[in-house]
Structure formats: C-alpha cells, structure tokens
Amino acid sequence: MAFLFVLPTWPVETWVAAMKKVAPGLDVRVWPDGMGNISDIEYCAAWLPPPGVLKSLPNLKLILSLGAGVDAILKDPTLPRDIPIVRVNDPDLTGRMTEYIVLHVLLHHRQQRRIDGNQKRIIWDSFPTHAAKDLSVGIMGMGVMGTDSAIKLRDIGFRVAGWSRGRKSIPGVESFAGESEFDAFLGRTDVLVSLLRATPGTDGVINSETIRKLSRKGPFGAPIVINAGRGRQQVAEDIIAALDSGELFAATLDVFATEPLPPENPLWTHPKVTVTPHCAADSDPETICAYVASNIERHRRGETPGNLVDLARGY
Ligand code: NDP
Ligand code: OXD
C-alpha cells in the first residue's frame, strides 16, 4: 500500500517531511515524478489536483483533501465518482478562520484603515466610535467555520445571525434557513460574511441585488462585505460598482475567481478594499497530516472515515 501527495502549488517536501514524522511507516509517494508503480497507490491527499490525475490511479481507495474545500477536486470532470472523499474538519484550521473573521469584522468596526491612513498623514482625528452591539453581522454558511466564527463574534458582543440551507440552533445567534429567509437575513445585516461552500447554488451570491438588500441602518450607513469562502461566490464588478456608488462601505476579500489575483485587477488598489492572499485559514502540514493519517488508519481498519463529502450535495 502506498500514499500519494498531489500538490502542484504547495511545497511538497514540507508535506512529505510532516507525513513521515506523523506516520513513519507510510510509503509516501509524490506526484508527478515520485509516483513509482501507480498500482501500489491506495490513498491520495491532494490540493488543486490537475484534472485526470486521480482517475489515473487504478487502485485508489480514498481521496483526502488537504483543506476544507473540495471544489477543486469535484470540478475534475474525470473524477472517479465511486471513491470516497474526505475533507478537513480540524480545530486548528477552524481556529485560524475564526481569527481571520474576527480580525476583519473588528478592523471595519474599529475603523482601523482610517486610523492607519491618518497616521501616515500625521493626523490626530478622534472621530466617534460605536459599540459591538451596534453592528449586525450576518454569516452566510453556518458549517464548521461559520458556526465557530459566529460564536466568537457573539461573545464579543456583535448581533450575529447565520444563514444556511438547514436551520441551526446556537444560543444568541439568530438562524435563517433557505432561499425563503434570505432577504430577511440580508435586511438585518450590516456586515455580510461569506463562509459558504462553493457549489453551483452559491456561485455569484454576492452580487448587486444581494448588496442592495443589505441593511443601511448600521453605524456606517452602508454595509460591509467579507468573503473568505470562495471567489466564485462574489461578482467582483458588482462589488466595485457598489463601493464606488456608496452602496457598500467597504470589503475584505481573501478569495478570488482567479488566484493569485492578477496584478492589474482593480481590487488591489481600490481604497475601500482589503485584499488578502487566500490566507484566512492555512493548512498546517503536521496537523493536517496527522488528520489524514488517522483517516487512512480508520479506512484500513474497515471503519468509515470522518467528514466524507456528499457528492450529491456538492460538499
Ligand atoms: P461546511 O461544509 O462545514 O459549511 C458550509 C456551509 O455552507 C453549511 O452551513 C451549508 O449549509 C452552507 N451552504 C452550502 N450551500 C448552501 C446554499 N445553497 N445555501 C445556503 N447555505 C449553503 O464548510 P466549512 O465551514 O468547513 O468551510 C466553509 C468555506 O470556507 C468553504 O467554502 C471552504 O472552502 C472555505 N475555506 C476557506 C479558507 C480560506 O483560507 N479562505 C480556508 C478554509 C475553508 P448547511 O449547514 O445547511 O448544510
Ligand atoms: C481550504 C482553503 O478550503 O484553504 O481549506 O481554502
């Protein structure tokens, strides 16, 4: 039995070293030049695998995503649909995402960009501030990441609601579910956070119509958007137009339709946009290798691995 890493955009040596540390007995192979006899490969961990690679492995038994997202794996038209896929659900990754969401909600709430700009120009501008309870945060996607972020934001004092397909029951967090409750969710939201899954159902959900339906009763008079889910979920032109017209107050974007974000993209230099390079929650090699190794062990014992992707649902 052998295990394969397919990591076209990550430093594969770091991942091999981490895997050898947490699972010393595992026969670790590397795509594309260190695969050896591909008939040996039963387990494959991947991030952004090129289409066709997974299908080329004749004895593959389990696919393991090295991040929470599985969109890059699912979009391979040749993906063998009968092989189970495991996604990451780990407190380390979740904690990193929560730090990012809390940081960027606070960055806007405390007007830190304005303060940074003032410092550059040596301006002592003590403008009015407001309390966390004055801001309504709405999180689209109340799964592993959304739920943890919602709880931490609630604990700081923000008015928090979540929107997902199914209803959630989290004390102190209002729950909206499904299409029929989307407008009500938007109408009470000053800061819209996306931690949705990338599926055809969520593509382009942050568009001009959505932005128009957001609350304008918050302290800034216009809403704020934070997207750390997937770039497919935002219509960048609509966000820019809304920022320029004043319909949107500010945006923080960590994910983009094309990554890396091309240098000529206007989002880079827009004065109301904070761009981060898809770093909201990085996969830590040792932590995630331990997670992968434990799922391989479970599978080898004949048990069902945790956090399997539902192909029909798309996540
Ligand atoms: P989960 O699968 O745990 O949660 C996804 C949520 O999206 C669920 O609440 C689900 O609803 C909701 N959802 C899916 N489709 C719809 C829909 N059509 N309408 C309404 N809600 C919908 O995912 P995670 O929390 O693990 O990850 C969230 C996102 O964060 C993913 O896109 C992931 O790729 C991204 N991510 C980004 C990172 C970064 O660095 N920027 C790092 C890690 C993750 P329900 O609960 O009802 O099923
Ligand atoms: C993930 C990511 O999905 O890093 O884990 O985007």
Side-chain angles (χ1 to χ4, degrees), residues 167-188:
R167 195 171 306 287
K168 312 292 172 196
S169 176
I170 304 167
V173 176
E174 208 178 341
S175 173
F176 294 83
E179 287 305 318
S180 62
E181 296 181 13
F182 190 48
D183 287 3
F185 163 77
L186 295 175
R188 52 76 64 205

Side-chain angles (χ1 to χ4, degrees), residues 47 67-71 87-89 93-94 97 100 140-147 163-168 176-179 182 194-202 205 227-230 233 254-255 259 277-283 313 315:
W47 186 249
V70 286
D71 42 311
R87 69 186 183 89
V88 172
N89 171 2
L93 194 70
T94 306
M97 179 59 86
Y100 181 91
M140 298 193 288
M142 287 294 288
V144 175
M145 309 263 168
T147 296
W163 178 71
S164 43
R165 292 202 320 171
R167 195 171 306 287
K168 312 292 172 196
F176 294 83
E179 287 305 318
F182 190 48
S194 179
L195 285 171
L196 284 165
R197 284 271 155 193
T199 68
T202 62
V205 63
N227 186 8
R230 280 292 181 266
Q233 288 152 15
D254 183 57
V255 287
E259 296 180 3
H278 198 143
C279 63
D282 282 342
S283 294
R313 197 177 61 163
Y315 61 98

Side-chain angles (χ1 to χ4, degrees), residues 149-280:
S149 292
I151 289 168
K152 303 292 176 358
L153 288 166
R154 174 205 67 190
D155 289 350
I156 291 172
F158 293 106
R159 282 186 271 124
V160 184
W163 178 71
S164 43
R165 292 202 320 171
R167 195 171 306 287
K168 312 292 172 196
S169 176
I170 304 167
V173 176
E174 208 178 341
S175 173
F176 294 83
E179 287 305 318
S180 62
E181 296 181 13
F182 190 48
D183 287 3
F185 163 77
L186 295 175
R188 52 76 64 205
T189 294
D190 302 320
V191 180
L192 181 69
V193 174
S194 179
L195 285 171
L196 284 165
R197 284 271 155 193
T199 68
T202 62
D203 281 350
V205 63
I206 309 173
N207 56 37
S208 49
E209 202 187 328
T210 299
I211 292 169
R212 209 164 298 132
K213 290 175 180 167
L214 288 165
S215 158
R216 284 174 174 76
K217 296 194 198 102
F220 303 118
I224 291 162
V225 163
I226 298 173
N227 186 8
R230 280 292 181 266
R232 284 166 52 178
Q233 288 152 15
Q234 73 212 7
V235 181
E237 308 77 57
D238 289 6
I239 292 177
I240 291 173
L243 289 166
D244 290 343
S245 69
E247 250 188 316
L248 202 55
F249 187 75
T252 288
L253 306 174
D254 183 57
V255 287
F256 304 90
T258 304
E259 296 180 3
L261 184 64
E264 64 281 5
N265 191 295
L267 289 169
W268 275 115
T269 50
H270 198 288
K272 296 180 181 173
V273 179
T274 300
V275 168
T276 58
H278 198 143
C279 63

